[in-house]
Amino acid sequence: MMRVFVEGIGLLGPGLENWSAGREILAGRADYLPQPTQMRVCDMLPAAERRRAGVPIKLALAVGLEALQQAGRETGTAATVFTSSGGDNDNVHAINTILATAPREVSPTRFHNSVHNAAAGYWCIAAGSREPSTSLCAHDASFAAGLLESAVQVAVDRAVVALIAYDHPYPQPLHAVRPITAAFGLALLLTPERSETSLAMLELDWQPGPVTETMMQEPALEALRLGVPVARGLPVLAALAGSAATQVDLAYLTDSHLRVRVSPC
Amino acid sequence: MALDQQELELAKLIVSALNLDVAAAEIEPDAPLYGEGLGLDSIDILELSLAISKTYGVQIKSDSADNTKIFSSLRSLNQHIQQHSAS
Protein backbone atom coordinates (compact mmCIF):
# COMPACT_ATOMS: atom_id res chain seq x y z
CA MET A 1 0.00 0.00 0.00
CA MET A 2 1.24 3.48 -0.88
CA ARG A 3 0.18 6.63 0.94
CA VAL A 4 0.28 10.11 -0.60
CA PHE A 5 -1.30 13.45 0.23
CA VAL A 6 -3.22 15.75 -2.10
CA GLU A 7 -2.29 19.40 -1.79
CA GLY A 8 -3.80 20.87 -4.93
CA ILE A 9 -6.39 19.97 -7.55
CA GLY A 10 -6.94 21.23 -11.09
CA LEU A 11 -10.02 20.55 -13.20
CA LEU A 12 -11.29 21.68 -16.59
CA GLY A 13 -13.95 19.94 -18.64
CA PRO A 14 -17.40 20.26 -20.17
CA GLY A 15 -19.48 22.17 -17.64
CA LEU A 16 -16.58 21.94 -15.18
CA GLU A 17 -14.95 25.38 -15.21
CA ASN A 18 -12.34 24.71 -12.53
CA TRP A 19 -11.93 22.76 -9.29
CA SER A 20 -13.65 25.39 -7.19
CA ALA A 21 -16.85 25.19 -9.26
CA GLY A 22 -16.45 21.50 -10.11
CA ARG A 23 -16.13 20.51 -6.45
CA GLU A 24 -19.66 21.79 -5.77
CA ILE A 25 -21.02 19.76 -8.68
CA LEU A 26 -19.11 16.61 -7.79
CA ALA A 27 -20.22 16.85 -4.17
CA GLY A 28 -23.84 17.07 -5.32
CA ARG A 29 -24.28 20.61 -4.03
CA ALA A 30 -24.75 22.10 -7.52
CA ASP A 31 -26.37 20.78 -10.68
CA TYR A 32 -24.19 19.50 -13.49
CA LEU A 33 -24.96 21.29 -16.74
CA PRO A 34 -22.88 19.78 -19.59
CA GLN A 35 -21.63 22.35 -22.09
CA PRO A 36 -18.53 22.60 -24.29
CA THR A 37 -15.27 22.94 -22.37
CA GLN A 38 -14.37 26.61 -22.00
CA MET A 39 -10.61 26.85 -22.38
CA ARG A 40 -8.77 29.18 -20.03
CA VAL A 41 -6.21 31.69 -21.26
CA CYS A 42 -2.80 30.06 -20.93
CA ASP A 43 -0.56 32.94 -19.91
CA MET A 44 2.22 30.83 -18.40
CA LEU A 45 3.78 30.11 -21.81
CA PRO A 46 6.28 32.48 -23.47
CA ALA A 47 4.98 34.06 -26.68
CA ALA A 48 6.73 31.70 -29.15
CA GLU A 49 5.51 28.57 -27.36
CA ARG A 50 2.01 30.02 -26.86
CA ARG A 51 1.44 30.38 -30.59
CA ARG A 52 2.78 26.86 -31.31
CA ALA A 53 1.02 24.91 -28.57
CA GLY A 54 -2.30 23.32 -29.50
CA VAL A 55 -5.45 23.25 -27.43
CA PRO A 56 -4.73 19.83 -25.81
CA ILE A 57 -1.36 21.14 -24.58
CA LYS A 58 -2.93 24.30 -23.18
CA LEU A 59 -5.57 22.16 -21.48
CA ALA A 60 -2.85 20.14 -19.73
CA LEU A 61 -0.96 23.25 -18.66
CA ALA A 62 -4.13 24.94 -17.38
CA VAL A 63 -5.04 22.16 -14.95
CA GLY A 64 -1.43 21.67 -13.87
CA LEU A 65 -1.07 25.35 -13.10
CA GLU A 66 -4.36 25.36 -11.18
CA ALA A 67 -3.21 22.49 -8.95
CA LEU A 68 0.18 24.09 -8.24
CA GLN A 69 -1.37 27.48 -7.50
CA GLN A 70 -3.94 25.95 -5.17
CA ALA A 71 -1.13 24.25 -3.28
CA GLY A 72 0.73 27.55 -3.08
CA ARG A 73 3.79 26.03 -4.72
CA GLU A 74 6.04 27.46 -7.42
CA THR A 75 5.36 25.75 -10.76
CA GLY A 76 8.97 24.72 -11.21
CA THR A 77 9.24 22.84 -7.92
CA ALA A 78 7.26 19.67 -8.66
CA ALA A 79 8.16 16.59 -10.66
CA THR A 80 5.48 15.91 -13.25
CA VAL A 81 3.64 12.87 -14.56
CA PHE A 82 1.62 13.58 -17.69
CA THR A 83 -0.89 11.00 -18.82
CA SER A 84 -3.18 11.05 -21.83
CA SER A 85 -4.76 8.41 -24.01
CA GLY A 86 -4.08 10.29 -27.22
CA GLY A 87 -2.06 13.41 -26.42
CA ASP A 88 -2.42 16.19 -28.97
CA ASN A 89 -5.08 14.56 -31.15
CA ASP A 90 -5.54 17.66 -33.31
CA ASN A 91 -1.89 17.44 -34.22
CA VAL A 92 -2.14 13.74 -35.06
CA HIS A 93 -5.03 14.54 -37.39
CA ALA A 94 -3.14 17.41 -39.03
CA ILE A 95 -0.04 15.28 -39.68
CA ASN A 96 -2.14 12.43 -41.06
CA THR A 97 -3.84 14.90 -43.40
CA ILE A 98 -0.49 16.23 -44.62
CA LEU A 99 0.88 12.69 -45.15
CA ALA A 100 -2.20 11.76 -47.17
CA THR A 101 -1.74 14.71 -49.51
CA ALA A 102 1.09 15.33 -52.00
CA PRO A 103 3.78 16.58 -51.56
CA ARG A 104 3.65 15.18 -47.99
CA GLU A 105 5.78 17.93 -46.46
CA VAL A 106 5.17 17.92 -42.72
CA SER A 107 5.17 21.25 -40.95
CA PRO A 108 8.19 21.54 -38.62
CA THR A 109 5.90 22.86 -35.89
CA ARG A 110 3.55 19.89 -36.33
CA PHE A 111 6.53 17.53 -36.18
CA HIS A 112 7.85 19.37 -33.11
CA ASN A 113 4.47 18.83 -31.42
CA SER A 114 4.06 15.21 -32.49
CA VAL A 115 5.82 13.56 -29.55
CA HIS A 116 3.66 12.29 -26.71
CA ASN A 117 5.70 14.28 -24.19
CA ALA A 118 5.10 17.60 -25.96
CA ALA A 119 2.95 18.75 -23.04
CA ALA A 120 5.81 17.96 -20.66
CA GLY A 121 8.20 19.97 -22.82
CA TYR A 122 5.95 23.00 -22.90
CA TRP A 123 5.36 22.68 -19.15
CA CYS A 124 9.08 22.62 -18.38
CA ILE A 125 9.62 25.73 -20.51
CA ALA A 126 6.65 27.58 -19.03
CA ALA A 127 7.32 26.54 -15.44
CA GLY A 128 11.08 26.91 -15.67
CA SER A 129 11.23 23.36 -14.31
CA ARG A 130 14.20 21.02 -14.30
CA GLU A 131 12.40 18.44 -12.21
CA PRO A 132 11.93 14.88 -13.54
CA SER A 133 9.02 14.40 -15.92
CA THR A 134 7.26 11.26 -17.15
CA SER A 135 4.71 10.98 -19.96
CA LEU A 136 2.38 8.00 -20.16
CA CYS A 137 -0.50 6.61 -22.11
CA ALA A 138 -2.49 3.45 -21.37
CA HIS A 139 -5.67 3.69 -23.45
CA ASP A 140 -8.68 3.75 -21.12
CA ALA A 141 -6.45 3.08 -18.11
CA SER A 142 -4.42 6.23 -18.72
CA PHE A 143 -5.60 7.96 -15.52
CA ALA A 144 -4.99 4.89 -13.37
CA ALA A 145 -1.53 4.46 -14.92
CA GLY A 146 -0.68 8.10 -14.21
CA LEU A 147 -1.94 7.90 -10.64
CA LEU A 148 -0.01 4.69 -9.99
CA GLU A 149 3.21 6.13 -11.44
CA SER A 150 2.79 9.36 -9.47
CA ALA A 151 2.16 7.50 -6.23
CA VAL A 152 5.24 5.33 -6.80
CA GLN A 153 7.41 8.42 -7.32
CA VAL A 154 5.98 10.08 -4.20
CA ALA A 155 6.31 6.95 -2.08
CA VAL A 156 9.72 5.77 -3.29
CA ASP A 157 11.51 9.00 -4.18
CA ARG A 158 9.70 11.13 -1.55
CA ALA A 159 9.10 13.53 -4.43
CA VAL A 160 6.43 16.20 -4.78
CA VAL A 161 4.65 15.18 -7.99
CA ALA A 162 2.06 16.92 -10.15
CA LEU A 163 -0.11 14.36 -11.93
CA ILE A 164 -1.55 16.01 -15.04
CA ALA A 165 -4.13 13.97 -16.97
CA TYR A 166 -5.73 15.30 -20.15
CA ASP A 167 -7.59 14.11 -23.21
CA HIS A 168 -9.05 15.87 -26.20
CA PRO A 169 -11.39 14.66 -28.96
CA TYR A 170 -10.00 13.52 -32.30
CA PRO A 171 -11.43 15.24 -35.37
CA GLN A 172 -13.14 12.95 -37.88
CA PRO A 173 -12.44 10.41 -39.27
CA LEU A 174 -10.38 9.24 -36.26
CA HIS A 175 -13.22 10.22 -33.93
CA ALA A 176 -15.33 7.46 -35.46
CA VAL A 177 -12.83 4.77 -34.42
CA ARG A 178 -11.65 6.31 -31.13
CA PRO A 179 -14.45 8.52 -29.85
CA ILE A 180 -13.41 10.91 -27.09
CA THR A 181 -16.42 13.02 -26.29
CA ALA A 182 -14.94 16.16 -24.74
CA ALA A 183 -11.83 18.10 -23.82
CA PHE A 184 -11.12 17.18 -20.20
CA GLY A 185 -8.19 17.60 -17.85
CA LEU A 186 -7.49 17.08 -14.19
CA ALA A 187 -4.40 17.49 -12.04
CA LEU A 188 -3.41 16.40 -8.56
CA LEU A 189 -0.46 17.83 -6.65
CA LEU A 190 0.77 14.94 -4.52
CA THR A 191 3.20 15.06 -1.60
CA PRO A 192 4.81 12.40 0.61
CA GLU A 193 4.01 14.15 3.90
CA ARG A 194 0.88 15.69 5.36
CA SER A 195 1.10 19.49 5.53
CA GLU A 196 -1.12 22.31 6.73
CA THR A 197 -2.46 22.61 3.20
CA SER A 198 -3.13 18.90 2.64
CA LEU A 199 -6.66 18.31 1.37
CA ALA A 200 -6.80 14.54 1.57
CA MET A 201 -4.81 11.36 2.02
CA LEU A 202 -4.81 8.73 -0.71
CA GLU A 203 -3.94 5.12 0.05
CA LEU A 204 -3.37 3.13 -3.12
CA ASP A 205 -3.15 -0.58 -3.78
CA TRP A 206 -2.54 -2.19 -7.13
CA GLN A 207 -4.37 -5.51 -7.13
CA PRO A 208 -4.60 -8.36 -9.63
CA GLY A 209 -7.96 -9.37 -10.99
CA PRO A 210 -10.84 -7.50 -12.60
CA VAL A 211 -12.97 -5.02 -10.68
CA THR A 212 -16.34 -3.35 -10.86
CA GLU A 213 -15.32 0.25 -11.41
CA THR A 214 -16.64 2.97 -9.15
CA MET A 215 -19.21 4.92 -11.16
CA MET A 216 -20.57 8.44 -11.00
CA GLN A 217 -24.12 8.68 -9.63
CA GLU A 218 -25.15 11.60 -11.84
CA PRO A 219 -25.92 10.11 -15.30
CA ALA A 220 -24.32 12.98 -17.26
CA LEU A 221 -21.14 12.74 -15.19
CA GLU A 222 -21.11 8.97 -15.68
CA ALA A 223 -21.39 9.59 -19.44
CA LEU A 224 -18.40 11.93 -19.17
CA ARG A 225 -16.45 9.33 -17.16
CA LEU A 226 -17.01 6.76 -19.90
CA GLY A 227 -16.65 9.22 -22.78
CA VAL A 228 -13.17 10.52 -21.99
CA PRO A 229 -10.35 8.13 -21.05
CA VAL A 230 -8.78 10.22 -18.28
CA ALA A 231 -12.23 11.17 -16.96
CA ARG A 232 -12.09 7.68 -15.40
CA GLY A 233 -10.51 9.74 -12.61
CA LEU A 234 -13.79 11.55 -11.88
CA PRO A 235 -14.75 9.21 -8.99
CA VAL A 236 -11.47 10.13 -7.26
CA LEU A 237 -12.35 13.81 -7.65
CA ALA A 238 -15.87 13.14 -6.39
CA ALA A 239 -14.38 11.48 -3.31
CA LEU A 240 -12.07 14.47 -2.84
CA ALA A 241 -15.08 16.79 -3.09
CA GLY A 242 -16.89 14.90 -0.33
CA SER A 243 -16.31 14.97 3.40
CA ALA A 244 -16.29 11.24 4.15
CA ALA A 245 -13.63 8.61 3.63
CA THR A 246 -14.41 6.82 0.37
CA GLN A 247 -13.05 3.85 -1.54
CA VAL A 248 -12.67 4.15 -5.31
CA ASP A 249 -11.88 1.27 -7.66
CA LEU A 250 -10.26 2.07 -10.98
CA ALA A 251 -9.76 -0.51 -13.72
CA TYR A 252 -6.13 -0.79 -14.74
CA LEU A 253 -4.62 -2.79 -17.59
CA THR A 254 -5.84 -6.32 -18.32
CA ASP A 255 -7.07 -8.14 -15.24
CA SER A 256 -5.80 -5.71 -12.64
CA HIS A 257 -7.08 -2.66 -10.85
CA LEU A 258 -6.16 0.19 -8.56
CA ARG A 259 -7.97 0.56 -5.24
CA VAL A 260 -7.82 4.09 -3.85
CA ARG A 261 -8.97 5.04 -0.36
CA VAL A 262 -9.62 8.77 -0.16
CA SER A 263 -9.62 10.29 3.33
CA PRO A 264 -10.19 14.04 3.62
CA CYS A 265 -7.67 15.75 5.93
CA MET B 1 7.97 52.55 -43.96
CA ALA B 2 5.00 51.15 -45.88
CA LEU B 3 5.03 47.68 -47.45
CA ASP B 4 4.48 47.31 -51.16
CA GLN B 5 1.87 44.83 -52.38
CA GLN B 6 4.26 41.87 -52.71
CA GLU B 7 5.74 42.51 -49.29
CA LEU B 8 2.28 42.77 -47.77
CA GLU B 9 1.31 39.40 -49.28
CA LEU B 10 4.46 37.85 -47.84
CA ALA B 11 3.82 39.50 -44.48
CA LYS B 12 0.33 37.95 -44.44
CA LEU B 13 1.83 34.55 -45.19
CA ILE B 14 4.32 34.94 -42.31
CA VAL B 15 1.59 35.94 -39.85
CA SER B 16 -0.64 33.08 -40.98
CA ALA B 17 2.02 30.36 -41.14
CA LEU B 18 3.49 31.23 -37.75
CA ASN B 19 0.25 32.17 -35.96
CA LEU B 20 1.79 35.55 -35.05
CA ASP B 21 -0.10 37.96 -32.87
CA VAL B 22 0.72 40.97 -35.06
CA ALA B 23 -0.98 42.64 -38.04
CA ALA B 24 0.78 41.92 -41.35
CA ALA B 25 0.83 45.60 -42.30
CA GLU B 26 2.66 46.43 -39.07
CA ILE B 27 5.73 44.31 -39.87
CA GLU B 28 8.68 46.62 -40.50
CA PRO B 29 10.15 45.75 -43.93
CA ASP B 30 13.75 46.29 -42.86
CA ALA B 31 13.54 44.95 -39.28
CA PRO B 32 15.23 41.61 -38.52
CA LEU B 33 12.96 38.57 -38.79
CA TYR B 34 15.14 36.34 -36.63
CA GLY B 35 15.84 36.98 -32.96
CA GLU B 36 15.20 40.62 -32.14
CA GLY B 37 12.70 42.42 -34.34
CA LEU B 38 9.91 39.99 -35.15
CA GLY B 39 11.34 37.51 -32.67
CA LEU B 40 11.35 34.39 -34.84
CA ASP B 41 13.45 31.36 -33.97
CA SER B 42 14.89 28.43 -35.90
CA ILE B 43 11.64 26.42 -35.96
CA ASP B 44 9.84 29.48 -37.30
CA ILE B 45 12.37 29.83 -40.11
CA LEU B 46 11.87 26.16 -41.07
CA GLU B 47 8.10 26.62 -40.96
CA LEU B 48 8.34 29.75 -43.05
CA SER B 49 10.57 28.04 -45.63
CA LEU B 50 7.93 25.34 -46.06
CA ALA B 51 5.15 27.92 -46.44
CA ILE B 52 7.21 29.82 -49.04
CA SER B 53 7.87 26.61 -50.95
CA LYS B 54 4.17 25.77 -51.06
CA THR B 55 3.02 29.29 -51.90
CA TYR B 56 5.71 30.55 -54.27
CA GLY B 57 7.40 27.35 -55.40
CA VAL B 58 10.72 28.72 -54.16
CA GLN B 59 12.87 26.24 -52.28
CA ILE B 60 15.11 27.63 -49.55
CA LYS B 61 17.49 24.92 -48.42
CA SER B 62 18.39 24.72 -44.74
CA ASP B 63 22.09 24.47 -45.57
CA SER B 64 22.23 27.45 -47.92
CA ALA B 65 25.06 29.83 -47.07
CA ASP B 66 22.83 32.76 -48.05
CA ASN B 67 20.13 32.08 -45.44
CA THR B 68 21.32 34.70 -42.99
CA LYS B 69 21.04 37.33 -45.71
CA ILE B 70 17.78 35.95 -47.16
CA PHE B 71 16.02 35.98 -43.79
CA SER B 72 17.59 39.22 -42.56
CA SER B 73 14.35 41.16 -43.16
CA LEU B 74 10.96 40.95 -44.82
CA ARG B 75 12.29 43.04 -47.68
CA SER B 76 15.31 40.85 -48.36
CA LEU B 77 13.18 37.69 -48.11
CA ASN B 78 10.70 39.13 -50.59
CA GLN B 79 13.50 40.10 -52.98
CA HIS B 80 14.87 36.55 -52.85
CA ILE B 81 11.44 35.07 -53.57
CA GLN B 82 10.73 37.44 -56.44
CA GLN B 83 14.14 36.79 -58.04
CA HIS B 84 13.79 33.03 -57.84
CA SER B 85 10.11 32.65 -58.63
CA ALA B 86 10.62 34.71 -61.81
CA SER B 87 13.49 32.58 -63.07
Side-chain angles (χ1 to χ4, degrees):
Chain A
M1 189 268 291
M2 292 179 290
R3 179 176 295 146
V4 303
F5 294 87
V6 179
E7 246 186 41
I9 303 168
L11 174 63
L12 182 56
L16 300 167
E17 185 182 352
N18 52 39
W19 171 243
S20 177
R23 178 178 52 199
E24 299 303 302
I25 294 167
L26 295 171
R29 295 188 289 265
D31 290 337
Y32 178 51
L33 304 172
Q35 52 184 296
T37 304
Q38 299 293 314
M39 286 298 298
R40 296 199 281 267
V41 174
C42 186
D43 54 8
M44 72 183 293
L45 279 168
E49 281 69 31
R50 191 162 57 235
R51 59 187 166 80
R52 286 193 192 117
V55 172
I57 304 297
K58 291 174 179 171
L59 169 67
L61 269 53
V63 292
L65 180 62
E66 183 185 356
L68 268 291
Q69 286 180 334
Q70 189 187 359
R73 290 180 181 262
E74 294 290 328
T75 51
T77 59
T80 45
V81 172
F82 288 82
T83 188
S84 175
S85 170
D88 190 341
N89 294 345
D90 285 339
N91 200 60
V92 171
H93 171 77
I95 289 178
N96 284 347
T97 303
I98 292 166
L99 292 176
T101 313
R104 304 179 73 188
E105 293 174 326
V106 175
S107 148
T109 307
R110 292 293 184 190
F111 182 73
H112 173 83
N113 286 342
S114 67
V115 290
H116 192 64
N117 64 351
Y122 281 108
W123 172 269
C124 289
I125 292 170
S129 175
R130 297 187 177 188
E131 296 297 313
S133 187
T134 304
S135 295
L136 300 172
C137 61
H139 202 253
D140 286 343
S142 291
F143 174 77
L147 182 58
L148 182 59
E149 172 65 20
S150 300
V152 168
Q153 290 190 17
V154 173
V156 175
D157 298 334
R158 312 303 291 171
V160 173
V161 177
L163 166 63
I164 300 176
Y166 66 102
D167 266 317
H168 190 270
Y170 284 102
Q172 293 288 15
L174 289 172
H175 180 77
V177 292
R178 177 59 169 157
I180 295 174
T181 57
F184 178 91
L186 72 88
L188 299 175
L189 194 281
L190 304 173
T191 68
E193 307 289 347
R194 184 193 299 263
S195 74
E196 290 182 356
T197 52
S198 292
L199 304 170
M201 177 176 69
L202 306 184
E203 293 168 301
L204 301 99
D205 276 314
W206 175 87
Q207 298 180 348
V211 72
T212 301
E213 288 185 289
T214 304
M215 297 167 61
M216 300 299 291
Q217 292 184 350
E218 155 68 39
L221 286 170
E222 175 63 8
L224 177 62
R225 185 185 78 85
L226 294 173
V228 181
V230 299
R232 301 299 197 283
L234 272 172
V236 174
L237 292 190
L240 288 166
S243 55
T246 308
Q247 178 175 297
V248 176
D249 285 327
L250 302 169
Y252 190 46
L253 300 175
T254 312
D255 283 338
S256 66
H257 63 277
L258 199 58
R259 176 155 290 175
V260 187
R261 279 175 289 277
V262 181
S263 305
C265 288
Chain B
M1 189 182 298
L3 304 179
D4 67 25
Q5 189 58 35
Q6 289 175 338
E7 290 168 343
L8 182 59
E9 291 302 317
L10 178 58
K12 288 178 180 174
L13 179 68
I14 293 172
V15 169
S16 166
L18 305 182
N19 194 25
L20 294 179
D21 190 19
V22 61
E26 292 176 5
I27 295 178
E28 291 287 335
D30 292 312
L33 294 173
Y34 188 86
E36 57 180 309
L38 207 51
L40 306 188
D41 61 19
S42 56
I43 295 176
D44 290 321
I45 298 299
L46 285 170
E47 191 73 47
L48 188 51
S49 299
L50 181 63
I52 289 168
S53 169
K54 288 182 173 176
T55 306
Y56 297 98
V58 175
Q59 302 276 345
I60 302 174
K61 299 295 185 188
S62 61
D63 57 355
S64 169
D66 295 330
N67 281 350
T68 302
K69 179 173 178 295
I70 293 168
F71 287 100
S72 64
S73 69
L74 175 68
R75 181 149 290 163
S76 64
L77 180 58
N78 184 55
Q79 286 170 354
H80 178 84
I81 292 168
Q82 298 308 323
Q83 287 167 6
H84 289 78
S85 60
S87 60

